[in-house]
Amino acid sequence: DIVMTQSPDSLAVSLGERATINCKSSQSVLYSSNNKNYLTWYQQKPGQPPKLLIYWASTRESGVPDRFSGSGSGTDFTLTISSLQAEDVAVYYCQQYYTTPYSFGQGTKLEIK
Amino acid sequence: EVQLVESGGGLVQPGGSLRLSCAASGFTFSSHWMHWVRQAPGKGLVWVSRINTDGSITNYADSVKGRFTISRDNAKNTLYLQMNSLRAEDTAVYYCARRDSSGYLDIWGQGTMVTVSS
């Protein structure tokens, strides 16, 4: 099974500042035949289901603000929020969909400093 | 509007059974693989199971294999999760999710709470 590990577990950032969350997979999630990384990022607010932010590691889902961006390849990935807004307070999860089980990272709780 | 609505959760004793349902609307249900994901109170997301478009392929997390059964009725646009031999550690919110044709989970329901306790 692929193990996903996020860092840090929690993060406090000032409004308007950059937030960076890292995700590492125990094996590569890059599929060589199409050169795509099978990695998504979700945002989850209290009492709500996860919301898809990023797929293919760097493709923003329709309607997601452009302050959210994803990067990385192979085993190391990053979610960046370029200018933190109050509504971005949430828990963020990475997930690999390269193979079953579709494993998630443990989550990173993002708060306002 | 594309929508998934789970139902069937509740309180059940250890060793008991429960069947969850997920009603889909706003899209061609029969064209999508579907998944179940759960989240214990205050914990992270854990993948549970998936099923292909016609129900002929199913996969499970090791923690539920042999106890849970995923199925679907494309005529009713509904996904199911039959949960048997329930344990306290199965207590969680259960979400159904749609798999996009590219593989990622793009649409999620609001979830249904399952509590296993005596």
Side-chain angles (χ1 to χ4, degrees):
Chain A
D1 296 359
I2 298 177
V3 177
M4 308 298 290
T5 304
Q6 292 180 225
S7 62
D9 289 335
S10 62
L11 180 63
V13 174
S14 300
L15 290 172
E17 296 299 305
R18 178 186 300 262
T20 301
I21 299 171
N22 300 300
C23 174
K24 187 174 184 66
S25 58
S26 60
Q27 64 188 74
S28 176
V29 298
L30 174 63
Y31 194 39
S32 56
S33 66
N34 59 9
N35 201 37
K36 288 184 179 294
N37 289 282
Y38 283 58
L39 189 284
T40 54
W41 288 97
Y42 295 96
Q43 175 193 67
Q44 188 179 34
K45 297 181 179 180
Q48 296 184 18
K51 173 188 174 183
L52 177 64
L53 295 177
I54 303 281
Y55 56 93
W56 297 137
S58 61
T59 302
R60 202 178 303 115
E61 172 71 334
S62 175
V64 173
D66 61 6
R67 63 180 181 273
F68 290 91
S69 63
S71 63
S73 184
T75 61
D76 292 278
F77 302 90
T78 300
L79 175 69
T80 301
I81 307 172
S82 60
S83 177
L84 189 70
Q85 305 299 304
E87 60 266 31
D88 301 335
V89 169
V91 178
Y92 293 84
Y93 294 93
C94 62
Q95 183 206 23
Q96 64 81 18
Y97 52 104
Y98 184 86
T99 185
T100 55
Y102 275 21
S103 41
F104 292 86
Q106 79 276 19
T108 295
K109 186 174 184 179
L110 178 59
E111 299 173 314
I112 305 294
K113 185 188 290 183
Chain B
E1 179 191 6
V2 174
Q3 197 172 9
L4 296 171
V5 179
E6 301 95 335
S7 61
L11 175 64
V12 60
Q13 292 189 337
S17 298
L18 213 54
R19 188 177 83 156
L20 306 183
S21 299
C22 169
S25 60
F27 66 98
T28 305
F29 178 71
S30 59
S31 297
H32 291 267
W33 290 57
M34 297 295 294
H35 292 240
W36 287 100
V37 175
R38 70 184 181 183
Q39 186 171 36
K43 302 297 185 181
L45 300 166
V46 176
W47 179 83
V48 173
S49 181
R50 73 171 181 179
I51 188 168
N52 73 334
T53 55
D54 66 6
S56 61
I57 299 173
T58 58
N59 299 99
Y60 300 92
D62 286 346
S63 58
V64 307
K65 202 172 295 182
R67 300 188 299 122
F68 289 12
T69 302
I70 190 172
S71 63
R72 65 192 297 159
D73 185 334
N74 287 340
K76 295 183 177 179
N77 292 334
T78 303
L79 174 72
Y80 302 102
L81 186 67
Q82 177 67 42
M83 304 186 295
N84 298 331
S85 304
L86 282 162
R87 307 165 180 167
E89 54 264 37
D90 295 319
T91 294
V93 174
Y94 285 73
Y95 296 103
C96 61
R98 184 183 82 168
R99 175 189 179 272
D100 180 88
S101 58
S102 298
Y104 52 86
L105 305 183
D106 62 343
I107 304 295
W108 295 61
Q110 287 295 315
T112 187
M113 182 71 203
V114 172
T115 302
V116 184
S117 175
S118 55

